[in-house]
Amino acid sequence: MSLYEELFRVCDEYNRFQKLGQDYSLRQIVVIFKTLLESYEDEEYDVSINEINSLIALPKDEKSKSLKLEINDLYNGDTFYKGINRVLIFPYKIDKYIKASSFQNDMNVNYLKDFFISLVVYRYSNNLKSMEDNQLFDFLDCYLDLKKDDIIIYQEQKKKCLDEYILREKERKIEAGFMVDKYNIINNVKDFINENYDTNLDIFCEVNESPDGPSCDSSHYYLDYYRTIGLKDNDDIVFKIKELSYEAEDDIDAYRPCFSYDESKCLDKVINVYRLRNKMQDLVGKYPKLNDYFDDLNQKYRMLLKDNDIVDNKKIKKLVGNTI
């Protein structure tokens, strides 16, 4: 057999393989996706092909965090191609239409692709040019029975990932609520360090003006005004952080001859305590007991949260003032 004849044979075999493996009715597609999603995700799904030829698969529970599937155009010729009541499927590209929740990012959500690949192999091996509903659904039932251990493992992994995600989200919300006045807490840090170390740090504030980006019409630049808050050891700055004090509203406002700090117009007087602690790592390295200060602050803050999801700002202000 010549090289050309061999190439022709391989191409012909490939085309036959594609035709055998990718032709399904719309009803079959809906049933396949619904059955697979419900079996693996362990909840009910609504799966439909709408009037604009989009296949949508969503959990019936609107609060569910399980994955969603949305194929916006069945005529796209990429993963799916919709003919007259028929759909061709290209299994290896299904994954890109899966909209997994963030908690599933570390999971291998590939069971849809794996099923269609197995189905292609089955049809090719049995030379099935088409499949009646009963044939297809029998195969689907057998496939799920063979995969029952994998399904259990998937569901266990999903539960574990979801539980961890819920804990992370709860912690994120807790940490996000611990907002304090920048000046007050930095002043407290100064007092703590001075009381526990042979040093005499001072707090300082400086008002600065800084060029902002171009205006909407790109014809001129505005100015923003900053107050820099920090700590000094004699003339050496050991810590500093910006506070956006005022944002110019127009070009006349931007080029005022003088600027005085106005607390009522300050745009970010507060800072998250956990974020500040991260920013102070160099200071913690120099004054290790500062870890005790933040640990104590964290413990007392969480005590306030014991019976509440949110802590009143006045209580946080009082807490920071009484930490030392």
Side-chain angles (χ1 to χ4, degrees):
M1 183 180 294
S2 68
L3 179 60
Y4 179 81
E5 289 173 329
E6 178 66 16
L7 180 61
F8 182 81
R9 186 193 66 78
V10 171
C11 289
D12 185 59
E13 187 75 5
Y14 174 74
N15 290 332
R16 189 170 72 88
F17 181 78
Q18 280 199 318
K19 289 177 182 178
L20 285 172
Q22 300 163 348
D23 188 8
Y24 307 95
S25 71
L26 298 184
R27 178 177 181 276
Q28 288 174 342
I29 288 296
V30 168
V31 172
I32 288 172
F33 277 106
K34 181 176 175 64
T35 304
L36 288 171
L37 287 166
E38 291 185 344
S39 297
Y40 277 83
E41 301 300 324
D42 195 25
E43 60 182 291
E44 290 187 80
Y45 268 76
D46 284 323
V47 182
S48 61
I49 297 174
N50 61 25
E51 64 278 1
I52 58 172
N53 297 305
S54 293
L55 186 145
I56 309 295
L58 302 172
K60 285 190 175 181
D61 182 357
E62 294 181 357
K63 296 181 180 179
S64 171
K65 296 185 182 298
S66 293
L67 64 86
K68 303 173 179 62
L69 190 72
E70 185 173 347
I71 304 163
N72 293 322
D73 184 3
L74 290 176
Y75 286 102
N76 61 47
D78 179 9
T79 305
F80 290 74
Y81 177 79
K82 180 176 176 291
I84 302 175
N85 295 322
R86 307 298 295 178
V87 177
L88 302 179
I89 295 180
F90 303 89
Y92 280 102
K93 295 184 179 179
I94 290 176
D95 288 354
K96 76 176 186 178
Y97 293 99
I98 292 174
K99 295 184 176 181
S101 298
S102 53
F103 82 90
Q104 288 179 300
N105 287 342
D106 296 329
M107 296 177 60
N108 292 319
V109 186
N110 52 15
Y111 57 84
L112 295 172
K113 178 186 69 178
D114 289 348
F115 170 79
F116 281 106
I117 290 173
S118 297
L119 187 53
V120 167
V121 173
Y122 173 78
R123 292 183 64 176
Y124 180 76
S125 300
N126 291 277
N127 199 27
L128 296 174
K129 294 181 179 180
S130 63
M131 291 186 77
E132 298 297 327
D133 286 354
N134 63 324
Q135 291 177 295
L136 180 61
F137 302 147
D138 283 346
F139 175 83
L140 180 56
D141 289 340
C142 290
Y143 180 86
L144 291 174
D145 187 56
L146 287 171
K147 293 289 184 177
K148 58 186 177 184
D149 290 338
D150 290 341
I151 292 173
I152 292 172
I153 292 172
Y154 177 88
Q155 291 175 352
E156 289 174 346
Q157 184 187 18
K158 177 185 173 183
K159 183 180 183 306
K160 179 174 179 290
C161 290
L162 180 57
D163 289 344
E164 291 173 351
Y165 171 81
I166 291 172
L167 287 176
R168 287 197 304 270
E169 283 297 292
K170 182 179 179 181
E171 179 63 20
R172 183 187 64 79
K173 289 179 181 178
I174 288 174
E175 292 187 1
F178 202 4
M179 305 296 293
V180 298
D181 183 282
K182 290 179 183 176
Y183 185 92
N184 288 348
I185 193 167
I186 292 173
N187 193 51
N188 281 1
V189 166
K190 175 209 71 173
D191 291 342
F192 179 87
I193 292 173
N194 288 341
E195 289 180 10
N196 288 274
Y197 291 90
D198 185 19
T199 187
N200 188 28
L201 300 184
D202 290 317
I203 192 169
F204 73 91
C205 297
E206 296 174 352
V207 173
N208 314 96
E209 54 184 32
S210 172
D212 193 12
S215 61
C216 293
D217 59 8
S218 301
S219 61
H220 53 272
Y221 284 76
Y222 292 157
L223 290 177
D224 289 338
Y225 295 91
Y226 290 92
R227 187 170 76 152
T228 300
I229 308 172
L231 297 173
K232 281 186 175 181
D233 186 356
N234 294 318
D235 291 330
D236 296 329
I237 295 176
V238 295
F239 178 77
K240 65 179 180 178
I241 191 170
K242 278 184 177 180
E243 174 189 79
L244 178 56
S245 303
Y246 182 77
E247 200 167 40
E249 296 177 356
D250 54 45
D251 52 348
I252 296 174
D253 193 18
Y255 295 108
R256 289 184 297 169
C258 60
F259 171 77
S260 58
Y261 176 75
D262 184 348
E263 182 174 332
S264 66
K265 291 186 176 180
C266 180
L267 300 176
D268 63 344
K269 279 180 85 274
V270 297
I271 191 170
N272 183 273
V273 172
Y274 300 99
R275 178 169 172 259
L276 179 66
R277 184 175 191 170
N278 289 334
K279 283 182 170 292
M280 284 188 166
Q281 284 308 300
D282 289 344
L283 209 57
V284 171
K286 190 173 183 179
Y287 305 108
K289 289 181 182 178
L290 192 55
N291 273 321
D292 297 335
Y293 169 81
F294 282 110
D295 286 345
D296 183 50
L297 203 58
N298 174 60
Q299 185 177 2
K300 290 178 178 177
Y301 169 64
R302 288 173 187 268
M303 286 296 293
L304 292 177
L305 280 167
K306 193 170 183 181
D307 299 317
N308 303 281
D309 294 328
I310 300 174
V311 178
D312 183 84
N313 288 336
K314 291 181 181 178
K315 290 183 179 181
I316 291 180
K317 187 175 181 180
K318 183 178 179 181
L319 170 63
V320 174
N322 296 333
T323 303
I324 297 174

